[in-house]
Amino acid sequence: MVNLTQSRNFKFLRSLMLAGSVTLFAAGIAVLLAFMWLKPPARELGDLFSYLLISGSVSVLLGVGWLVYAGQNTRLQLQLIVTYLIGAVIALVNIGVTASLMFLSAHDFSLLTLLLIFSGSISIFFAYYISTQLTRQVQQLVRGANQLASGKLDTRVKGGGNRELVELSQAFNQMAINLQTSFEKQRQAEQSRKELIAAIGHDLRTPLSSLRLMTEAIQDGVTDEQQTKLFMGRISGEVAYMSGLIEDLFELSQLDAGALKLRCEPGNLSDLISDTLESMRAQAEVKHQNLCGEIAGHIPQLSFDTRKIQRVLNNLVGNAIRYTPEGGKITLKAWVESGKVLVSVIDTGEGIKPDDFDRIFEPFYRGERSRGREHGGAGLGLAISKGLIEAHQGTISVESSEGKGSKFTFQLPL
Ligand code: ADP
């Protein structure tokens, strides 16, 4: 409270000094003009100067006092109108005093007063009009801010009034858009986190419950030798699946946290592509697919982590084999373009449904047709591939036409 009063007093003194200097300057100019136009005797000029200073000081005291103390917390409209009124009353007093000093006739004085009241009324009307416009816009902004604060993030205000107010409304709307976007991003991140946890739970629960059933059956001695052998084979398959899944999850979490350490060394991508073609050929032959490579020109050496890029190639070619029917064709292409090495894996498979398109790089996302474990993997392959390529400062993208095939392309900087 003390601080508030002190700061008001300080503001009053500061405004008084400023307004006082302006009054002094204005009185000086008025005397100079009177001297040039009326050429009065020096004594009258002195009287005029003193009178202007006195009436100016009274006006300044009243005006600044009102604005700093009484008018501080009042409505803008009242503040403007009272300020104009003070101005008009002071002008009226000035004219009255000047008229009596100049011995004007009562008729002239009344006419002057009438004119002053007329022009004063017009000024007050303008004050009222401007303040109404200002107040309306400010109130709209206040309402908008309150709605934003109460969580209605789609609140926008209409821009109107003078340029500053239009700019203020635009800034307000931009702030609301930014708030809404970041809130939406946060909501989506929260949603994906929930989906991720649910997917991990689901992918572990299914193999774990079949492990439990098979071990219980063996323990209870209800399986013969042949069945036990079969179950043991399946148990080791489930264990391998779960360790693969846990390893993938670990890799993904490292990629997410930016903690993955790449062991980059200069290497030849063409060799890696040939190795991939060799290692995946047997898988493709099972489905009688034609797996071939096309390397356009010479691919210069570039720095990359061989194991990680090998993993990306295996994921992409593995997917192409998995999602391409028997007898289809899978092509691995590499070429150099604008300072980058591009690698594409093109298949003549089922393609990707438009609904799946935007989400296939998300962890655990499986296309509609690959939701069963017997058909697809855990849905981590593309998410990991994307993370690994981005860790190499590269990008990965997909083009696909349903029923005709897909083309996954990644770029690595040279
Ligand atoms: P998954 O382990 O299910 O293959 P990925 O992350 O590798 O997981 O792929 C995610 C999804 O993207 C797949 O479930 C599949 O629907 C789709 N997909 C990936 N590659 C292809 C492809 N070559 N052709 C058609 N669909 C594909």
Side-chain angles (χ1 to χ4, degrees):
M1 193 66 193
V2 174
N3 271 349
L4 194 74
T5 321
Q6 271 177 355
S7 88
R8 272 200 188 165
N9 290 345
F10 177 69
K11 198 173 167 189
F12 177 69
L13 282 177
R14 207 182 47 189
S15 312
L16 207 62
M17 271 163 67
L18 183 73
S21 335
V22 173
T23 313
L24 198 67
F25 181 70
I29 296 278
V31 170
L32 190 70
L33 289 176
F35 172 72
M36 280 163 36
W37 290 337
L38 307 170
K39 304 253 187 278
R43 194 182 55 82
E44 275 183 30
L45 268 184
D47 286 350
L48 180 69
F49 187 66
S50 341
Y51 173 68
L52 284 177
L53 270 190
I54 292 166
S55 82
S57 308
V58 173
S59 323
V60 162
L61 258 174
L62 276 176
V64 173
W66 153 251
L67 282 176
V68 175
Y69 291 106
Q72 188 81 140
N73 291 323
T74 54
R75 292 195 158 269
L76 181 70
Q77 213 165 29
L78 185 70
Q79 206 179 45
L80 271 178
I81 290 172
V82 172
T83 312
Y84 267 71
L85 256 176
I86 291 176
V89 169
I90 285 167
L92 203 70
V93 172
N94 274 350
I95 290 200
V97 173
T98 323
S100 65
L101 283 178
M102 290 164 74
F103 307 108
L104 275 186
S105 70
H107 172 265
D108 289 353
F109 178 62
S110 312
L111 187 69
L112 217 56
T113 310
L114 206 78
L115 285 176
L116 198 79
I117 290 174
F118 176 71
S119 56
S121 313
I122 291 182
S123 309
I124 288 172
F125 165 74
F126 275 119
Y128 173 78
Y129 178 76
I130 293 171
S131 59
T132 308
Q133 300 279 314
L134 268 173
T135 311
R136 197 174 296 153
Q137 196 60 23
V138 170
Q139 274 172 350
Q140 205 196 79
L141 282 163
V142 170
R143 268 199 305 278
N146 283 337
Q147 281 179 352
L148 261 190
S150 71
K152 278 192 181 165
L153 298 183
D154 57 350
T155 305
R156 303 286 180 269
V157 291
K158 276 197 216 110
N162 54 7
R163 199 188 311 160
E164 285 85 353
L165 281 176
V166 171
E167 282 171 5
L168 184 61
S169 311
Q170 284 169 346
F172 178 92
N173 286 343
Q174 193 52 51
M175 178 188 75
I177 291 171
N178 292 350
L179 257 178
Q180 198 177 14
T181 319
S182 64
F183 189 77
E184 185 53 27
K185 271 193 196 150
Q186 208 181 337
R187 200 190 57 75
Q188 278 173 0
E190 181 67 8
Q191 181 64 22
S192 345
R193 194 184 58 83
K194 281 185 190 156
E195 282 175 11
L196 197 71
I197 292 173
I200 296 173
H202 176 267
D203 273 43
L204 287 176
R205 198 179 324 115
T206 319
L208 274 174
S209 54
S210 78
L211 271 182
R212 191 167 53 84
L213 287 176
M214 287 189 284
T215 46
E216 272 173 10
I218 295 172
Q219 257 175 352
D220 295 347
V222 293
T223 52
D224 57 27
E225 199 180 327
Q226 206 189 350
Q227 257 180 330
T228 309
K229 251 188 172 175
L230 187 82
F231 279 10
M232 291 306 273
R234 283 199 197 149
I235 287 172
S236 89
E238 294 293 15
V239 169
Y241 171 79
M242 286 197 295
S243 1
L245 185 69
I246 305 251
E247 250 169 57
D248 281 356
L249 276 172
F250 181 65
E251 183 142 37
L252 200 66
S253 73
Q254 279 194 313
L255 281 167
D256 251 8
L260 187 85
K261 293 225 165 34
L262 291 179
R263 293 205 185 101
C264 288
E265 285 168 4
N268 198 324
L269 210 57
S270 316
D271 293 346
L272 210 58
I273 289 174
S274 308
D275 292 349
T276 312
L277 288 172
E278 279 321 303
S279 64
M280 303 299 272
R281 196 166 304 284
Q283 246 187 68
E285 271 167 8
V286 174
K287 290 179 84 176
H288 309 290
Q289 291 162 336
N290 177 8
L291 178 63
C292 57
E294 279 178 29
I295 295 180
H298 168 70
I299 307 283
Q301 283 223 331
L302 67 150
S303 175
F304 58 89
D305 183 323
T306 314
R307 280 185 52 222
K308 304 296 179 197
I309 298 298
Q310 181 74 71
R311 166 127 208 231
V312 174
L313 285 169
N314 285 348
N315 277 345
L316 296 181
V317 177
N319 275 349
I321 294 174
R322 189 186 289 160
Y323 299 110
T324 300
E326 296 221 348
K329 186 176 178 193
I330 294 144
T331 316
L332 235 170
K333 264 189 177 176
W335 71 101
V336 177
E337 198 179 290
S338 356
K340 286 170 185 152
V341 178
L342 286 95
V343 179
S344 280
V345 178
I346 309 159
D347 64 55
T348 56
E350 59 195 45
I352 297 162
K353 287 188 103 187
D355 287 352
D356 296 335
F357 215 79
D358 293 335
R359 303 199 59 193
I360 53 169
F361 288 102
E362 286 176 21
F364 283 106
Y365 188 80
R366 281 167 275 204
E368 203 185 87
R369 280 178 290 238
S370 31
R371 301 243 158 99
R373 269 181 65 207
E374 64 291 342
H375 190 65
L380 289 175
L382 287 180
I384 292 176
S385 302
K386 184 170 186 267
L388 290 175
I389 294 295
E390 283 173 357
H392 280 83
Q393 317 302 325
T395 55
I396 184 164
S397 61
V398 59
E399 293 161 48
S400 181
S401 145
E402 232 192 320
K404 288 191 180 155
S406 314
K407 177 179 173 186
F408 284 84
T409 305
F410 67 82
Q411 309 186 349
L412 291 178
L414 268 175

